[in-house]
Amino acid sequence: MVHGLAASAAVPRGMLVADAWSQLGDAVAPLSNASGRPLARTVKLLLDPLVLRPAQNPRFSGGVVAIEHVDALRNAILDAGPALAATAAWFQLLKRARRRAGVTEGHPQDLYFQRCYELAHVHGDPAALPGAAEIAAEAVAEVHAERGEVSVDGLRRFLTDPARSAELAGLLHDAWSQRPEPAAAEPHPGVAAFLDDCATAPDPRLWRALADAAVGTAEAASLDRPGVALGYGLTGRDRPAAPELGERASKRKLPKPFDRSIMERLFAAFTAWFQRESMADIPALVTGEIRRSAAPWQLAEEPSRVAMALGRDASAGLGADEPPEAASDANARLLNRWRRESYVHRVLRLPDPSAMGWEVRGTRRAYMRRLWVRLHGRELRGEATAADEVWDLLDGALRSVVMDQRDRLKRSLEREGDRS
Amino acid sequence: MTAFTVRRTATAILVGDRPPHPERTMLVEARGALLYWDALDLRAHPAAEVFDARAAGDWLWEVYGPEALTGAGTMATEWESPVLDAARNLAFLHWAGVWWPASHAAGIPALPAGLLRAETAWYTAGLEHLLDDDTAVERALAEVDLGTLVSYPEAADLAAGIADLADSYGVALRDTARLRPEDWALAAGGAEEGLAVASGSAPIDWSLVPARTLDAAGEAAWRFEHRSGAWVLHVAAPAAPDAAPAALTAVVDTVEIPLRLDSGTGTFTGEAPAPPDFAMRLGGGRPIQVQAPGYAADRSEDRAERRAALIAFARDRLASPDATLTERAAA
């Protein structure tokens, strides 16, 4: 295989999975793309967590699989063939039920794949099952009912209930007045070390050590100094201040993260992600958010705070006229993505945003905001971040900022056209 | 057989070279690598810049084959796969969406935009497992309008496939029934003409304007004339077939003239009062350039040849047996 990309006694995992998958035939087509490969979410939501389970089977983890485990991996997928075929058949039924019920919310693969896998285990192949269509309709109704309980309306009612507002305002006041005095600390050498390896060989022990040493909390100490959080783009104020509880929120005009009301913080997460079944109920969400707002980086979990500190360092120089020399491998990779983007702009015949008077120097601030929003969302959904997910998170935030910028450029061209 | 040199830099593994100019570049942004084909040097396999070998290792074999890239310095491959085909088609459609040289002057029809978007979404979905953007399919589907497909009977399978994709990705497709865009007849003249005392023209530089605006082989023309007691500069630049409105600016000497699309005549036109000293400087023919903000001028010597070559390439594609549905519908 690709010279130097893989050890010779190993095979790319993607190749093994594709090969085994193709032997499952047309029965799994609903879980495949038009090239016959498993969908990205088929791998992420079904094959990895339910069939290959790399956490339990380290021999199946990583980008390459050693020669001696090739047959075992293939057999694991082939053994799951009937269950996957039934899952695929259920997915077709759930999609149909969803369409019939007029549901448009959320991503069908995210919402139904694992549910379909359960149905496949409980009922087998739906083709042979009388009443399968009803079961599918119930499953769709259930998924959306679970999500309906924690609704934006419910949130608004809870936050604006006069009987509760004094209590909530008190909680907010206490949380902010009892914030511990931030202790300044020397920069931890582990931050740079982790950034050097996180894209290629993330070290889980170092990742845990950074959280155990509360490095994220220590790195948040400077945020209360005038202009620091402002410089990161996390607030429009000179220093962060306690948020409002808030009464309304609109997707279009969300303030910067630290300036968002409690309502706006939860609202943003509700509308951006459709996995409310993994969220707590409303009272717990609100009190949790109040506490979170007063915490370092305004995030509740230490690993999220470490990730903010990592993102801050990894994004240094993004959008600068002349970026400084990269301070770490992760920093170099993000700067490279940014440089590639201006090449891609020319290939896609998009105008140069800096020549259009756009504030590209704000890219790093946009990056910090996007990263915060993603970490905040992960906290609300109760998703832990493992060492080998950190790079995807750091890189994914920049990709998302860059793609949004492309969309805005395209839209501005169309608008110019309409105006003329 | 495709052969490339393989080089390593501090940040990437380079397989072959980037195409030398943006307008020749057919790009796929994959996870951990950019793949590119050169419109004027088309090969079966793409050149690549692998910037994240770990991420790309998962799928590179689908493009080059498992045995390729084993030799140091060079690699050669005859690998074929549905993924490679989808990547080539997607790269082509990305290129065609922005650089297709539609031109009345050169007789290159516009590509049907609705069909192009639908086909782009289809091949995007075929590659979703290796694309850099993990929301690429949703993004591509959001651009599709099912209504634009109804007038193409040959696209019935594509439309069904797109509808199924939309169900699988939870995207509500737009569906505004529209008629097939009619090619305009090239209208003649139009506006009242004054007494022209000087005029000039120059080939359009298409790297200076957005896609689907100017005729790729057209010439922008200016006229300095006296009309109703005033001196004016009048500019006309032929629009591409099926052009979209855009805010373009013509620059003649030091005068900037905003242009508007006049869809009746298929021309971007504009007028501005000429400065009093314009007539003094008329000797030696004033150059004209049409541009949009944010686009840099291509000053290279060979740009006229490159443009001609790309027009020839587009003409060949229209007659090619492996043309996309989009091109066949345009031809």
Side-chain angles (χ1 to χ4, degrees):
Chain A
M1 174 49 207
V2 184
H3 185 60
L5 299 185
S8 52
V11 188
R13 202 179 88 124
M15 187 158 106
L16 292 175
V17 169
D19 179 53
W21 188 260
S22 67
Q23 294 180 39
L24 300 181
D26 281 347
V28 293
L31 307 178
S32 313
N33 66 27
S35 309
R37 303 289 181 245
L39 294 166
R41 283 181 176 80
T42 300
V43 175
K44 186 177 151 217
L45 300 170
L46 296 172
L47 287 180
D48 268 345
L50 302 170
V51 176
L52 298 174
R53 289 176 297 170
Q56 287 83 16
N57 298 307
R59 58 197 175 140
F60 296 161
S61 71
V64 293
V65 174
I67 287 285
E68 63 265 32
H69 301 311
V70 162
D71 287 338
L73 186 142
R74 183 178 296 121
N75 290 336
I77 292 179
L78 294 181
D79 290 347
L84 289 165
T87 304
W90 279 109
F91 184 55
Q92 293 297 74
L93 285 181
L94 262 71
K95 277 197 292 184
R96 213 167 297 151
R98 171 185 163 95
R99 201 180 322 134
R100 213 173 290 132
V103 175
T104 54
E105 183 194 51
H107 198 300
Q109 300 173 22
D110 284 337
L111 291 176
Y112 308 140
F113 268 9
Q114 297 194 345
R115 188 65 63 116
C116 290
Y117 193 78
E118 281 166 36
L119 289 171
H121 275 270
V122 177
H123 301 290
D125 185 344
L129 185 73
E134 287 77 31
I135 295 173
E138 277 167 33
V140 168
E142 243 172 67
V143 168
H144 293 276
E146 278 171 17
R147 297 144 49 69
E149 279 166 31
V150 182
S151 67
V152 174
D153 271 347
L155 179 64
R156 187 179 291 116
R157 276 198 304 277
F158 183 83
L159 276 167
T160 53
D161 182 351
R164 250 188 231 104
S165 56
E167 181 200 339
L168 291 175
L171 277 178
L172 189 60
H173 178 264
D174 291 351
W176 274 77
S177 57
Q178 290 158 16
R179 295 170 83 208
E181 193 64 27
E186 292 295 304
H188 193 289
V191 170
F194 190 79
L195 286 176
D196 267 334
D197 293 337
C198 65
T200 48
D203 178 352
R205 275 178 316 177
L206 181 54
W207 173 242
R208 263 197 310 278
L210 290 174
D212 290 347
V215 168
T217 297
E219 294 285 345
S222 62
L223 290 172
D224 282 329
R225 288 213 302 272
V228 174
L230 177 75
Y232 296 158
L234 296 170
T235 173
R237 301 190 180 109
D238 200 32
R239 308 162 189 252
E244 311 265 310
L245 285 171
E247 295 180 356
R248 59 184 70 82
S250 131
K251 209 176 181 179
R252 280 170 181 270
K253 286 185 293 190
L254 278 176
K256 300 200 165 72
F258 290 0
D259 302 339
R260 292 179 187 174
S261 67
I262 299 298
M263 170 80 196
E264 284 168 331
R265 290 170 195 229
L266 292 170
F267 169 82
F270 278 20
T271 49
W273 291 284
F274 297 91
Q275 289 170 324
R276 286 172 219 151
E277 69 266 38
S278 60
M279 288 186 179
D281 60 2
I282 286 179
L285 275 174
V286 169
T287 49
E289 195 59 41
I290 287 173
R291 274 196 297 275
R292 183 181 287 113
S293 77
W297 291 106
Q298 309 207 8
L299 291 168
E301 315 276 349
E302 189 57 34
S304 314
R305 299 171 193 158
V306 175
M308 283 304 287
L310 291 171
R312 179 198 60 196
D313 290 359
S315 63
L318 273 183
D321 296 334
E322 282 179 34
E325 201 169 315
S328 63
D329 179 66
N331 187 204
R333 284 170 187 266
L334 292 187
L335 290 172
N336 275 340
R337 179 183 275 284
W338 180 247
R339 263 192 292 276
R340 262 196 321 274
E341 181 63 13
S342 62
Y343 167 73
V344 173
H345 276 183
R346 288 195 297 281
V347 170
L348 298 182
R349 209 174 176 179
L350 289 170
D352 173 5
S354 53
M356 305 202 23
W358 285 31
E359 190 41 284
V360 286
R361 272 169 298 171
T363 303
R364 187 192 188 191
R365 293 190 286 273
Y367 175 85
M368 291 297 282
R369 288 194 287 274
R370 191 65 47 96
L371 183 61
W372 185 90
V373 166
R374 293 196 162 189
L375 289 162
H376 180 247
R378 292 179 80 92
E379 289 197 347
L380 285 181
R381 295 193 303 276
E383 284 173 29
T385 303
D388 60 0
E389 293 170 312
V390 175
W391 170 245
D392 276 350
L393 192 64
L394 296 179
D395 186 43
L398 182 57
R399 179 178 52 226
S400 163
V401 166
V402 153
M403 294 306 288
D404 278 2
Q405 191 192 51
R406 261 191 230 177
D407 282 351
R408 265 166 45 224
L409 279 173
K410 276 188 209 156
R411 276 200 305 273
S412 83
L413 283 181
E414 285 161 15
R415 262 201 315 277
E416 285 295 323
D418 290 344
R419 213 177 296 146
S420 66
Chain B
M1 169 86 75
T2 317
F4 287 115
T5 57
V6 179
R7 285 165 295 141
R8 281 156 192 281
T9 70
T11 53
I13 300 168
L14 305 177
V15 181
D17 294 305
R18 270 186 186 176
H21 294 282
E23 81 267 19
R24 286 166 60 163
T25 307
M26 303 177 164
L27 179 72
V28 170
E29 294 172 85
R31 211 166 58 246
L34 296 180
L35 302 178
Y36 19 60
W37 279 268
D38 184 342
L40 298 186
D41 183 15
L42 264 190
R43 299 162 183 227
H45 300 81
E49 176 183 334
V50 181
F51 50 84
D52 185 340
R54 195 166 94 124
D58 227 23
W59 56 265
L60 269 178
W61 63 274
E62 301 199 76
V63 172
Y64 294 112
E67 305 304 327
L69 290 167
T70 47
T74 59
M75 75 118 215
T77 180
E78 293 183 65
W79 178 255
E80 291 174 31
S81 76
V83 170
L84 175 62
D85 293 341
R88 200 186 302 108
N89 279 320
L90 183 61
F92 173 79
L93 290 162
H94 283 159
W95 173 84
V98 289
W99 292 110
W100 180 260
S103 165
H104 290 296
I108 305 289
L111 296 179
L115 203 47
L116 185 132
R117 293 197 183 114
E119 237 184 339
T120 302
W122 177 252
Y123 287 114
T124 301
L127 290 179
E128 60 99 60
H129 63 300
L130 60 75
L131 292 177
D132 177 51
D133 178 9
D134 51 3
T135 58
V137 181
E138 291 87 336
R139 237 178 254 279
L141 284 171
E143 302 278 316
V144 176
D145 187 333
L146 270 187
T148 57
L149 301 184
V150 290
S151 43
Y152 302 97
E154 65 274 33
D157 287 348
L158 176 64
I162 292 284
D164 189 46
L165 278 179
D167 269 352
S168 290
Y169 285 85
V171 175
L173 290 174
R174 273 182 297 156
D175 189 358
T176 35
R178 236 184 288 153
L179 296 173
R180 200 175 191 139
E182 305 264 338
D183 271 4
W184 312 304
L186 278 179
E192 164 211 7
E193 286 191 30
L195 177 67
V197 297
S199 61
S201 66
I204 285 161
D205 178 356
W206 62 347
S207 57
L208 283 174
V209 293
R212 284 181 301 280
T213 52
L214 294 179
D215 188 308
E219 299 229 327
W222 62 269
R223 211 167 58 226
F224 177 56
E225 60 188 35
H226 195 250
R227 193 196 312 149
S228 317
W231 290 101
V232 293
L233 256 177
H234 176 93
V235 169
D242 203 14
L248 305 181
T249 306
V251 183
V252 183
D253 193 56
T254 53
V255 188
E256 294 197 353
I257 303 121
L259 303 183
R260 295 282 175 266
L261 175 61
D262 175 352
S263 31
T265 61
T267 314
F268 281 87
T269 57
E271 277 187 353
D277 62 341
F278 189 81
M280 307 291 289
R281 293 182 278 123
L282 274 178
R286 298 288 119 202
I288 175 168
Q289 180 167 294
V290 181
Q291 61 195 37
Y295 290 86
D298 175 3
R299 305 258 178 236
S300 38
E301 295 282 315
D302 64 339
R303 58 180 203 262
E305 290 93 74
R306 279 199 334 258
R307 182 167 77 165
L310 278 174
I311 287 170
F313 168 71
R315 195 172 288 128
D316 287 350
R317 285 287 311 190
L318 291 170
S320 158
D322 47 70
T324 58
L325 205 52
T326 303
E327 293 158 281
R328 275 180 272 146

